[in-house]
Amino acid sequence: MRKFLCIIPVLCAFAALFLVSGCESAKTVSYGKADVGYVQFVSATKYSSVKVVFDDSVTITARVNSSKDRIVENDSTYSVTPGAHAIEVFDKKGDSILKKKIFVSAQEIRTVELP
């Protein structure tokens, strides 16, 4: 009987340890802005699409929005990494119509106006 009484405090200590170890503190999660910027091309003339070369390495075919109607379409906004970019824009014939450097911030939509 005496041995049984000595085991009870040890069992209570293990039970308390087991219950306390299962607790978890509240977790804090914070989300920042995604590290991406956007570029869209607009023109008063009727370019339907243009070829755009970013930083002499990435080439895309981009749709051009009308600057007269001010219609912004989601499928004509292109994601780029934030920072400075050299762009060159070519028409369907392959003639260069614009060459410039732009800076795009995170979550910014940079509008490039074509002649």
Side-chain angles (χ1 to χ4, degrees), residues 38-105:
Y38 302 95
V39 176
Q40 80 177 187
F41 300 92
V42 297
S43 177
T45 60
K46 292 296 180 188
Y47 292 110
S48 59
S49 65
V50 292
K51 183 174 101 173
V52 183
V53 179
F54 288 93
D55 301 321
D56 295 325
S57 61
V58 177
T59 303
I60 65 168
T61 300
R63 291 185 54 194
V64 179
N65 291 322
S66 171
S67 62
K68 182 179 179 182
D69 298 335
R70 290 294 190 192
I71 296 173
V72 177
E73 299 173 7
N74 288 337
D75 59 342
S76 60
T77 303
Y78 304 94
S79 61
V80 296
T81 57
H85 296 281
I87 63 168
E88 188 167 6
V89 182
F90 298 91
D91 63 7
K92 285 186 177 182
K93 297 176 188 173
D95 298 330
S96 179
I97 56 175
L98 179 72
K99 186 174 186 175
K100 69 186 292 186
K101 290 192 177 206
I102 61 170
F103 185 85
V104 182
S105 298

Side-chain angles (χ1 to χ4, degrees), residues 14-26:
F14 278 124
L17 182 64
F18 179 73
L19 291 173
V20 173
S21 66
C23 296
E24 189 173 317
S25 64

